Amino acid sequence: MKKDKGAPAYLQVARDIAGRIASGEIGEGQRFSGRSLMSSRYKVSPETIRRALGLLNEVDVIEMKPGSGARVKSRERAAQYLGQHDEAHGMRLLKERLAELIGQRRVIDEQMQATIQQLTDMAERFRYGDVMRTYEFAVPPGARIEGMSIAEIGFRTQTGATILAIRRGGEVKLSPPPEEVIVAHDVLVVVCGVLLVPVVSKFVSQV
């Protein structure tokens, strides 16, 4: 008898007996005798045999009468029972697989949540990691801001950065006033975070 892992022993015995009937090994009208012999064949208890035969009796595969044992009633019903059993077995396997996948998804969801939390924590840390530093930007000839004052170009508003000084030739003007006019070849000494460098560079060089 082929063992079906996870199925009760009496169901396995019932399926095996039904298979022998459906194949014609045990013919219609044939009587069963010697339950002890069947117990030996299947290596299960007489009670397990009794439950297996009781099940086959309920589905009209065999007929049981007190004192006369069991008689094969229908080969066709045996085949039908096997089909139903196989479908039920298939459904059980699918349910087990579904439960397994749900468990795997739960683990993946937990891992995703942990990863998202790590990313959030890192983003929060790096939020304050853009340290303010000084950078220098040369004003090219023909730049849009050339000939305009610091106030007119709205440097702080437009870039989020601050002009600390202007190097013009060999002269350095610290904390230039708002009315200071920007000229070509000026080097603006600016304080900002590294993320603003591209913004300031574009603003200064834009024509």
Side-chain angles (χ1 to χ4, degrees):
M1 179 179 68
K2 185 179 178 181
K3 298 282 176 131
D4 180 5
K5 234 170 147 186
Y10 80 94
L11 287 178
Q12 298 184 47
V13 172
R15 186 184 188 286
D16 189 71
I17 295 173
R20 295 169 65 193
I21 294 172
S23 67
E25 179 183 340
I26 305 176
E28 287 188 353
Q30 185 173 335
R31 291 189 176 277
F32 291 95
S33 60
R35 291 187 180 179
S36 60
L37 180 62
M38 293 179 68
S39 297
S40 174
R41 170 188 171 90
Y42 295 112
K43 294 182 173 57
V44 294
S45 67
E47 174 61 19
T48 298
I49 295 296
R50 185 192 69 77
R51 290 189 66 185
L53 294 178
L55 175 59
L56 294 177
N57 180 69
E58 290 176 5
V59 296
D60 289 330
V61 174
I62 64 173
E63 181 181 22
M64 296 182 65
K65 291 184 178 180
S68 61
R71 181 182 66 85
V72 176
K73 187 174 181 182
S74 172
R75 181 178 181 180
E76 181 181 354
R77 290 292 298 165
Q80 290 175 355
Y81 171 77
L82 287 175
Q84 292 169 354
H85 178 278
D86 289 343
E87 287 180 2
H89 178 65
M91 287 184 65
R92 179 167 59 84
L93 291 178
L94 288 174
K95 288 179 180 178
E96 290 174 356
R97 179 56 179 161
L98 179 60
E100 180 183 350
L101 290 173
I102 290 174
Q104 292 175 356
R105 186 179 69 177
R106 186 176 297 114
V107 172
I108 293 174
D109 286 344
E110 291 173 354
Q111 292 175 344
M112 288 179 62
Q113 188 60 41
T115 302
I116 291 172
Q117 186 60 52
Q118 290 175 353
L119 285 171
T120 302
D121 293 343
M122 290 180 68
E124 189 65 21
R125 288 200 301 271
F126 281 109
R127 179 181 175 187
Y128 303 102
D130 189 13
V131 181
M132 303 292 280
R133 297 178 182 174
T134 57
Y135 301 91
E136 295 185 356
F137 302 90
V139 179
R144 184 182 60 84
I145 65 174
E146 183 184 356
M148 299 173 65
S149 69
I150 295 175
E152 288 175 328
I153 64 176
F155 190 84
R156 174 71 179 173
T157 302
Q158 295 295 325
T159 66
T162 301
I163 298 176
L164 292 182
I166 296 177
R167 284 200 295 107
R168 184 174 295 154
E171 181 185 2
V172 176
K173 292 190 175 185
L174 295 174
S175 300
E179 62 271 14
E180 182 70 37
V181 175
I182 306 296
V183 299
H185 304 297
D186 276 353
V187 175
L188 308 183
V189 181
V190 174
V191 61
C192 65
V194 67
L195 298 178
L196 289 179
V197 170
V199 177
V200 176
S201 178
K202 182 179 180 180
F203 182 81
V204 171
S205 61
Q206 186 175 6
V207 295

PDB file of all heavy atoms in Angstrom, residues 94-125:
ATOM      1  N   LEU A  94      -2.969  21.679  -2.254  1.00  0.00           N
ATOM      2  CA  LEU A  94      -3.022  23.089  -2.640  1.00  0.00           C
ATOM      3  C   LEU A  94      -3.200  23.988  -1.419  1.00  0.00           C
ATOM      4  O   LEU A  94      -2.588  25.067  -1.339  1.00  0.00           O
ATOM      5  CB  LEU A  94      -4.177  23.318  -3.622  1.00  0.00           C
ATOM      6  CG  LEU A  94      -3.969  22.766  -5.044  1.00  0.00           C
ATOM      7  CD1 LEU A  94      -5.241  22.927  -5.859  1.00  0.00           C
ATOM      8  CD2 LEU A  94      -2.809  23.493  -5.731  1.00  0.00           C
ATOM      9  N   LYS A  95      -4.023  23.551  -0.473  1.00  0.00           N
ATOM     10  CA  LYS A  95      -4.214  24.329   0.748  1.00  0.00           C
ATOM     11  C   LYS A  95      -2.911  24.414   1.546  1.00  0.00           C
ATOM     12  O   LYS A  95      -2.570  25.465   2.099  1.00  0.00           O
ATOM     13  CB  LYS A  95      -5.321  23.715   1.607  1.00  0.00           C
ATOM     14  CG  LYS A  95      -6.718  23.914   1.038  1.00  0.00           C
ATOM     15  CD  LYS A  95      -7.767  23.256   1.923  1.00  0.00           C
ATOM     16  CE  LYS A  95      -9.167  23.457   1.360  1.00  0.00           C
ATOM     17  NZ  LYS A  95     -10.193  22.782   2.193  1.00  0.00           N
ATOM     18  N   GLU A  96      -2.199  23.283   1.603  1.00  0.00           N
ATOM     19  CA  GLU A  96      -0.919  23.281   2.317  1.00  0.00           C
ATOM     20  C   GLU A  96       0.067  24.215   1.632  1.00  0.00           C
ATOM     21  O   GLU A  96       0.805  24.957   2.287  1.00  0.00           O
ATOM     22  CB  GLU A  96      -0.350  21.858   2.376  1.00  0.00           C
ATOM     23  CG  GLU A  96      -1.141  20.926   3.279  1.00  0.00           C
ATOM     24  CD  GLU A  96      -0.638  19.493   3.209  1.00  0.00           C
ATOM     25  OE1 GLU A  96       0.282  19.218   2.389  1.00  0.00           O
ATOM     26  OE2 GLU A  96      -1.154  18.644   3.949  1.00  0.00           O
ATOM     27  N   ARG A  97       0.081  24.193   0.278  1.00  0.00           N
ATOM     28  CA  ARG A  97       0.977  25.059  -0.471  1.00  0.00           C
ATOM     29  C   ARG A  97       0.608  26.528  -0.266  1.00  0.00           C
ATOM     30  O   ARG A  97       1.480  27.388  -0.118  1.00  0.00           O
ATOM     31  CB  ARG A  97       0.912  24.708  -1.961  1.00  0.00           C
ATOM     32  CG  ARG A  97       1.785  25.566  -2.865  1.00  0.00           C
ATOM     33  CD  ARG A  97       3.233  25.551  -2.440  1.00  0.00           C
ATOM     34  NE  ARG A  97       4.061  26.347  -3.330  1.00  0.00           N
ATOM     35  CZ  ARG A  97       5.256  26.804  -3.019  1.00  0.00           C
ATOM     36  NH1 ARG A  97       5.784  26.549  -1.827  1.00  0.00           N
ATOM     37  NH2 ARG A  97       5.945  27.515  -3.882  1.00  0.00           N
ATOM     38  N   LEU A  98      -0.718  26.798  -0.234  1.00  0.00           N
ATOM     39  CA  LEU A  98      -1.177  28.167  -0.013  1.00  0.00           C
ATOM     40  C   LEU A  98      -0.742  28.661   1.359  1.00  0.00           C
ATOM     41  O   LEU A  98      -0.276  29.797   1.502  1.00  0.00           O
ATOM     42  CB  LEU A  98      -2.699  28.233  -0.147  1.00  0.00           C
ATOM     43  CG  LEU A  98      -3.342  29.612   0.085  1.00  0.00           C
ATOM     44  CD1 LEU A  98      -2.806  30.625  -0.927  1.00  0.00           C
ATOM     45  CD2 LEU A  98      -4.855  29.518  -0.013  1.00  0.00           C
ATOM     46  N   ALA A  99      -0.904  27.799   2.370  1.00  0.00           N
ATOM     47  CA  ALA A  99      -0.481  28.176   3.721  1.00  0.00           C
ATOM     48  C   ALA A  99       1.017  28.444   3.762  1.00  0.00           C
ATOM     49  O   ALA A  99       1.484  29.378   4.430  1.00  0.00           O
ATOM     50  CB  ALA A  99      -0.853  27.066   4.707  1.00  0.00           C
ATOM     51  N   GLU A 100       1.773  27.621   3.028  1.00  0.00           N
ATOM     52  CA  GLU A 100       3.225  27.808   2.968  1.00  0.00           C
ATOM     53  C   GLU A 100       3.583  29.144   2.322  1.00  0.00           C
ATOM     54  O   GLU A 100       4.445  29.884   2.809  1.00  0.00           O
ATOM     55  CB  GLU A 100       3.850  26.653   2.178  1.00  0.00           C
ATOM     56  CG  GLU A 100       5.368  26.736   2.056  1.00  0.00           C
ATOM     57  CD  GLU A 100       5.944  25.613   1.200  1.00  0.00           C
ATOM     58  OE1 GLU A 100       5.185  24.670   0.868  1.00  0.00           O
ATOM     59  OE2 GLU A 100       7.127  25.681   0.850  1.00  0.00           O
ATOM     60  N   LEU A 101       2.894  29.472   1.209  1.00  0.00           N
ATOM     61  CA  LEU A 101       3.160  30.725   0.512  1.00  0.00           C
ATOM     62  C   LEU A 101       2.768  31.932   1.367  1.00  0.00           C
ATOM     63  O   LEU A 101       3.460  32.962   1.355  1.00  0.00           O
ATOM     64  CB  LEU A 101       2.390  30.761  -0.814  1.00  0.00           C
ATOM     65  CG  LEU A 101       2.892  29.794  -1.893  1.00  0.00           C
ATOM     66  CD1 LEU A 101       1.953  29.801  -3.085  1.00  0.00           C
ATOM     67  CD2 LEU A 101       4.305  30.170  -2.344  1.00  0.00           C
ATOM     68  N   ILE A 102       1.642  31.794   2.089  1.00  0.00           N
ATOM     69  CA  ILE A 102       1.217  32.881   2.974  1.00  0.00           C
ATOM     70  C   ILE A 102       2.280  33.115   4.048  1.00  0.00           C
ATOM     71  O   ILE A 102       2.603  34.262   4.388  1.00  0.00           O
ATOM     72  CB  ILE A 102      -0.148  32.560   3.608  1.00  0.00           C
ATOM     73  CG1 ILE A 102      -1.255  32.624   2.545  1.00  0.00           C
ATOM     74  CG2 ILE A 102      -0.461  33.525   4.756  1.00  0.00           C
ATOM     75  CD1 ILE A 102      -2.612  32.185   3.041  1.00  0.00           C
ATOM     76  N   GLY A 103       2.825  32.009   4.578  1.00  0.00           N
ATOM     77  CA  GLY A 103       3.891  32.133   5.572  1.00  0.00           C
ATOM     78  C   GLY A 103       5.116  32.808   4.999  1.00  0.00           C
ATOM     79  O   GLY A 103       5.731  33.666   5.642  1.00  0.00           O
ATOM     80  N   GLN A 104       5.469  32.426   3.762  1.00  0.00           N
ATOM     81  CA  GLN A 104       6.631  33.044   3.108  1.00  0.00           C
ATOM     82  C   GLN A 104       6.376  34.528   2.855  1.00  0.00           C
ATOM     83  O   GLN A 104       7.271  35.357   3.027  1.00  0.00           O
ATOM     84  CB  GLN A 104       6.928  32.327   1.790  1.00  0.00           C
ATOM     85  CG  GLN A 104       7.436  30.906   1.967  1.00  0.00           C
ATOM     86  CD  GLN A 104       7.613  30.191   0.643  1.00  0.00           C
ATOM     87  OE1 GLN A 104       7.287  30.713  -0.423  1.00  0.00           O
ATOM     88  NE2 GLN A 104       8.128  28.975   0.695  1.00  0.00           N
ATOM     89  N   ARG A 105       5.139  34.849   2.437  1.00  0.00           N
ATOM     90  CA  ARG A 105       4.816  36.256   2.179  1.00  0.00           C
ATOM     91  C   ARG A 105       4.891  37.063   3.465  1.00  0.00           C
ATOM     92  O   ARG A 105       5.342  38.215   3.456  1.00  0.00           O
ATOM     93  CB  ARG A 105       3.417  36.372   1.573  1.00  0.00           C
ATOM     94  CG  ARG A 105       3.075  37.803   1.132  1.00  0.00           C
ATOM     95  CD  ARG A 105       1.714  37.912   0.510  1.00  0.00           C
ATOM     96  NE  ARG A 105       0.667  37.709   1.494  1.00  0.00           N
ATOM     97  CZ  ARG A 105      -0.638  37.813   1.225  1.00  0.00           C
ATOM     98  NH1 ARG A 105      -1.035  38.074  -0.003  1.00  0.00           N
ATOM     99  NH2 ARG A 105      -1.538  37.616   2.168  1.00  0.00           N
ATOM    100  N   ARG A 106       4.465  36.442   4.582  1.00  0.00           N
ATOM    101  CA  ARG A 106       4.517  37.145   5.863  1.00  0.00           C
ATOM    102  C   ARG A 106       5.967  37.473   6.224  1.00  0.00           C
ATOM    103  O   ARG A 106       6.269  38.578   6.681  1.00  0.00           O
ATOM    104  CB  ARG A 106       3.878  36.284   6.955  1.00  0.00           C
ATOM    105  CG  ARG A 106       3.757  36.995   8.300  1.00  0.00           C
ATOM    106  CD  ARG A 106       3.040  36.140   9.319  1.00  0.00           C
ATOM    107  NE  ARG A 106       1.669  35.873   8.922  1.00  0.00           N
ATOM    108  CZ  ARG A 106       1.202  34.671   8.604  1.00  0.00           C
ATOM    109  NH1 ARG A 106       2.001  33.620   8.616  1.00  0.00           N
ATOM    110  NH2 ARG A 106      -0.070  34.513   8.268  1.00  0.00           N
ATOM    111  N   VAL A 107       6.844  36.501   5.962  1.00  0.00           N
ATOM    112  CA  VAL A 107       8.268  36.734   6.245  1.00  0.00           C
ATOM    113  C   VAL A 107       8.814  37.843   5.353  1.00  0.00           C
ATOM    114  O   VAL A 107       9.538  38.734   5.808  1.00  0.00           O
ATOM    115  CB  VAL A 107       9.077  35.435   6.036  1.00  0.00           C
ATOM    116  CG1 VAL A 107      10.577  35.716   6.124  1.00  0.00           C
ATOM    117  CG2 VAL A 107       8.681  34.386   7.070  1.00  0.00           C
ATOM    118  N   ILE A 108       8.449  37.794   4.042  1.00  0.00           N
ATOM    119  CA  ILE A 108       8.911  38.821   3.106  1.00  0.00           C
ATOM    120  C   ILE A 108       8.377  40.195   3.505  1.00  0.00           C
ATOM    121  O   ILE A 108       9.100  41.194   3.454  1.00  0.00           O
ATOM    122  CB  ILE A 108       8.472  38.472   1.670  1.00  0.00           C
ATOM    123  CG1 ILE A 108       9.223  37.208   1.191  1.00  0.00           C
ATOM    124  CG2 ILE A 108       8.747  39.627   0.716  1.00  0.00           C
ATOM    125  CD1 ILE A 108       8.751  36.699  -0.144  1.00  0.00           C
ATOM    126  N   ASP A 109       7.084  40.248   3.905  1.00  0.00           N
ATOM    127  CA  ASP A 109       6.493  41.519   4.325  1.00  0.00           C
ATOM    128  C   ASP A 109       7.238  42.087   5.528  1.00  0.00           C
ATOM    129  O   ASP A 109       7.494  43.299   5.600  1.00  0.00           O
ATOM    130  CB  ASP A 109       5.013  41.328   4.684  1.00  0.00           C
ATOM    131  CG  ASP A 109       4.137  41.133   3.454  1.00  0.00           C
ATOM    132  OD1 ASP A 109       4.613  41.446   2.343  1.00  0.00           O
ATOM    133  OD2 ASP A 109       2.991  40.664   3.599  1.00  0.00           O
ATOM    134  N   GLU A 110       7.598  41.208   6.476  1.00  0.00           N
ATOM    135  CA  GLU A 110       8.325  41.663   7.656  1.00  0.00           C
ATOM    136  C   GLU A 110       9.715  42.171   7.266  1.00  0.00           C
ATOM    137  O   GLU A 110      10.186  43.188   7.792  1.00  0.00           O
ATOM    138  CB  GLU A 110       8.437  40.516   8.666  1.00  0.00           C
ATOM    139  CG  GLU A 110       7.102  40.132   9.303  1.00  0.00           C
ATOM    140  CD  GLU A 110       7.203  38.888  10.165  1.00  0.00           C
ATOM    141  OE1 GLU A 110       8.301  38.267  10.170  1.00  0.00           O
ATOM    142  OE2 GLU A 110       6.212  38.532  10.826  1.00  0.00           O
ATOM    143  N   GLN A 111      10.365  41.466   6.329  1.00  0.00           N
ATOM    144  CA  GLN A 111      11.684  41.899   5.877  1.00  0.00           C
ATOM    145  C   GLN A 111      11.601  43.234   5.144  1.00  0.00           C
ATOM    146  O   GLN A 111      12.456  44.105   5.320  1.00  0.00           O
ATOM    147  CB  GLN A 111      12.301  40.835   4.969  1.00  0.00           C
ATOM    148  CG  GLN A 111      12.663  39.543   5.693  1.00  0.00           C
ATOM    149  CD  GLN A 111      13.152  38.464   4.743  1.00  0.00           C
ATOM    150  OE1 GLN A 111      12.959  38.543   3.529  1.00  0.00           O
ATOM    151  NE2 GLN A 111      13.802  37.447   5.287  1.00  0.00           N
ATOM    152  N   MET A 112      10.553  43.387   4.309  1.00  0.00           N
ATOM    153  CA  MET A 112      10.358  44.650   3.590  1.00  0.00           C
ATOM    154  C   MET A 112      10.120  45.795   4.570  1.00  0.00           C
ATOM    155  O   MET A 112      10.666  46.896   4.407  1.00  0.00           O
ATOM    156  CB  MET A 112       9.185  44.532   2.611  1.00  0.00           C
ATOM    157  CG  MET A 112       9.473  43.670   1.400  1.00  0.00           C
ATOM    158  SD  MET A 112       8.040  43.538   0.291  1.00  0.00           S
ATOM    159  CE  MET A 112       7.807  45.252  -0.191  1.00  0.00           C
ATOM    160  N   GLN A 113       9.295  45.521   5.593  1.00  0.00           N
ATOM    161  CA  GLN A 113       8.997  46.557   6.575  1.00  0.00           C
ATOM    162  C   GLN A 113      10.255  46.965   7.323  1.00  0.00           C
ATOM    163  O   GLN A 113      10.483  48.160   7.571  1.00  0.00           O
ATOM    164  CB  GLN A 113       7.930  46.043   7.565  1.00  0.00           C
ATOM    165  CG  GLN A 113       7.404  47.104   8.510  1.00  0.00           C
ATOM    166  CD  GLN A 113       6.751  48.259   7.782  1.00  0.00           C
ATOM    167  OE1 GLN A 113       6.037  48.067   6.813  1.00  0.00           O
ATOM    168  NE2 GLN A 113       6.994  49.477   8.242  1.00  0.00           N
ATOM    169  N   ALA A 114      11.083  45.971   7.668  1.00  0.00           N
ATOM    170  CA  ALA A 114      12.337  46.266   8.366  1.00  0.00           C
ATOM    171  C   ALA A 114      13.269  47.084   7.477  1.00  0.00           C
ATOM    172  O   ALA A 114      13.930  48.018   7.932  1.00  0.00           O
ATOM    173  CB  ALA A 114      13.010  44.964   8.797  1.00  0.00           C
ATOM    174  N   THR A 115      13.323  46.729   6.176  1.00  0.00           N
ATOM    175  CA  THR A 115      14.182  47.461   5.236  1.00  0.00           C
ATOM    176  C   THR A 115      13.698  48.895   5.056  1.00  0.00           C
ATOM    177  O   THR A 115      14.495  49.838   5.021  1.00  0.00           O
ATOM    178  CB  THR A 115      14.211  46.747   3.876  1.00  0.00           C
ATOM    179  OG1 THR A 115      14.673  45.401   4.056  1.00  0.00           O
ATOM    180  CG2 THR A 115      15.146  47.459   2.907  1.00  0.00           C
ATOM    181  N   ILE A 116      12.375  49.072   4.936  1.00  0.00           N
ATOM    182  CA  ILE A 116      11.810  50.415   4.812  1.00  0.00           C
ATOM    183  C   ILE A 116      12.151  51.256   6.029  1.00  0.00           C
ATOM    184  O   ILE A 116      12.501  52.436   5.928  1.00  0.00           O
ATOM    185  CB  ILE A 116      10.279  50.335   4.611  1.00  0.00           C
ATOM    186  CG1 ILE A 116       9.956  49.755   3.234  1.00  0.00           C
ATOM    187  CG2 ILE A 116       9.634  51.715   4.771  1.00  0.00           C
ATOM    188  CD1 ILE A 116       8.481  49.456   3.024  1.00  0.00           C
ATOM    189  N   GLN A 117      12.062  50.630   7.219  1.00  0.00           N
ATOM    190  CA  GLN A 117      12.386  51.344   8.442  1.00  0.00           C
ATOM    191  C   GLN A 117      13.853  51.758   8.468  1.00  0.00           C
ATOM    192  O   GLN A 117      14.198  52.876   8.868  1.00  0.00           O
ATOM    193  CB  GLN A 117      12.064  50.464   9.661  1.00  0.00           C
ATOM    194  CG  GLN A 117      12.227  51.179  10.999  1.00  0.00           C
ATOM    195  CD  GLN A 117      11.320  52.391  11.111  1.00  0.00           C
ATOM    196  OE1 GLN A 117      10.116  52.280  10.879  1.00  0.00           O
ATOM    197  NE2 GLN A 117      11.884  53.549  11.448  1.00  0.00           N
ATOM    198  N   GLN A 118      14.729  50.852   7.996  1.00  0.00           N
ATOM    199  CA  GLN A 118      16.154  51.171   7.931  1.00  0.00           C
ATOM    200  C   GLN A 118      16.406  52.339   6.981  1.00  0.00           C
ATOM    201  O   GLN A 118      17.200  53.238   7.279  1.00  0.00           O
ATOM    202  CB  GLN A 118      16.945  49.941   7.484  1.00  0.00           C
ATOM    203  CG  GLN A 118      16.996  48.828   8.527  1.00  0.00           C
ATOM    204  CD  GLN A 118      17.687  47.584   8.000  1.00  0.00           C
ATOM    205  OE1 GLN A 118      18.016  47.483   6.822  1.00  0.00           O
ATOM    206  NE2 GLN A 118      17.907  46.619   8.875  1.00  0.00           N
ATOM    207  N   LEU A 119      15.739  52.316   5.818  1.00  0.00           N
ATOM    208  CA  LEU A 119      15.892  53.407   4.865  1.00  0.00           C
ATOM    209  C   LEU A 119      15.396  54.731   5.449  1.00  0.00           C
ATOM    210  O   LEU A 119      16.014  55.785   5.256  1.00  0.00           O
ATOM    211  CB  LEU A 119      15.111  53.086   3.577  1.00  0.00           C
ATOM    212  CG  LEU A 119      15.727  52.041   2.651  1.00  0.00           C
ATOM    213  CD1 LEU A 119      14.753  51.676   1.546  1.00  0.00           C
ATOM    214  CD2 LEU A 119      17.029  52.569   2.037  1.00  0.00           C
ATOM    215  N   THR A 120      14.277  54.662   6.167  1.00  0.00           N
ATOM    216  CA  THR A 120      13.734  55.861   6.797  1.00  0.00           C
ATOM    217  C   THR A 120      14.708  56.415   7.826  1.00  0.00           C
ATOM    218  O   THR A 120      14.942  57.633   7.889  1.00  0.00           O
ATOM    219  CB  THR A 120      12.380  55.550   7.471  1.00  0.00           C
ATOM    220  OG1 THR A 120      11.474  55.029   6.489  1.00  0.00           O
ATOM    221  CG2 THR A 120      11.783  56.783   8.107  1.00  0.00           C
ATOM    222  N   ASP A 121      15.273  55.516   8.632  1.00  0.00           N
ATOM    223  CA  ASP A 121      16.236  55.946   9.649  1.00  0.00           C
ATOM    224  C   ASP A 121      17.466  56.574   9.008  1.00  0.00           C
ATOM    225  O   ASP A 121      17.973  57.601   9.477  1.00  0.00           O
ATOM    226  CB  ASP A 121      16.655  54.754  10.517  1.00  0.00           C
ATOM    227  CG  ASP A 121      15.502  54.222  11.370  1.00  0.00           C
ATOM    228  OD1 ASP A 121      14.510  54.965  11.529  1.00  0.00           O
ATOM    229  OD2 ASP A 121      15.598  53.081  11.850  1.00  0.00           O
ATOM    230  N   MET A 122      17.951  55.948   7.920  1.00  0.00           N
ATOM    231  CA  MET A 122      19.129  56.481   7.234  1.00  0.00           C
ATOM    232  C   MET A 122      18.830  57.841   6.621  1.00  0.00           C
ATOM    233  O   MET A 122      19.654  58.763   6.695  1.00  0.00           O
ATOM    234  CB  MET A 122      19.602  55.503   6.155  1.00  0.00           C
ATOM    235  CG  MET A 122      20.220  54.225   6.702  1.00  0.00           C
ATOM    236  SD  MET A 122      20.768  53.108   5.388  1.00  0.00           S
ATOM    237  CE  MET A 122      22.128  54.054   4.705  1.00  0.00           C
ATOM    238  N   ALA A 123      17.648  57.974   6.017  1.00  0.00           N
ATOM    239  CA  ALA A 123      17.272  59.254   5.410  1.00  0.00           C
ATOM    240  C   ALA A 123      17.202  60.345   6.465  1.00  0.00           C
ATOM    241  O   ALA A 123      17.602  61.499   6.225  1.00  0.00           O
ATOM    242  CB  ALA A 123      15.923  59.111   4.702  1.00  0.00           C
ATOM    243  N   GLU A 124      16.704  59.982   7.651  1.00  0.00           N
ATOM    244  CA  GLU A 124      16.604  60.952   8.735  1.00  0.00           C
ATOM    245  C   GLU A 124      17.985  61.386   9.212  1.00  0.00           C
ATOM    246  O   GLU A 124      18.232  62.557   9.478  1.00  0.00           O
ATOM    247  CB  GLU A 124      15.812  60.341   9.909  1.00  0.00           C
ATOM    248  CG  GLU A 124      15.466  61.328  11.011  1.00  0.00           C
ATOM    249  CD  GLU A 124      14.506  62.417  10.532  1.00  0.00           C
ATOM    250  OE1 GLU A 124      13.811  62.201   9.522  1.00  0.00           O
ATOM    251  OE2 GLU A 124      14.473  63.481  11.174  1.00  0.00           O
ATOM    252  N   ARG A 125      18.911  60.423   9.263  1.00  0.00           N
ATOM    253  CA  ARG A 125      20.280  60.754   9.685  1.00  0.00           C
ATOM    254  C   ARG A 125      20.967  61.648   8.652  1.00  0.00           C
ATOM    255  O   ARG A 125      21.614  62.632   8.988  1.00  0.00           O
ATOM    256  CB  ARG A 125      21.096  59.472   9.890  1.00  0.00           C
ATOM    257  CG  ARG A 125      20.696  58.692  11.130  1.00  0.00           C
ATOM    258  CD  ARG A 125      21.803  57.758  11.550  1.00  0.00           C
ATOM    259  NE  ARG A 125      22.147  56.797  10.516  1.00  0.00           N
ATOM    260  CZ  ARG A 125      21.564  55.609  10.376  1.00  0.00           C
ATOM    261  NH1 ARG A 125      20.592  55.265  11.193  1.00  0.00           N
ATOM    262  NH2 ARG A 125      21.934  54.782   9.422  1.00  0.00           N
TER     263      ARG A 125
END
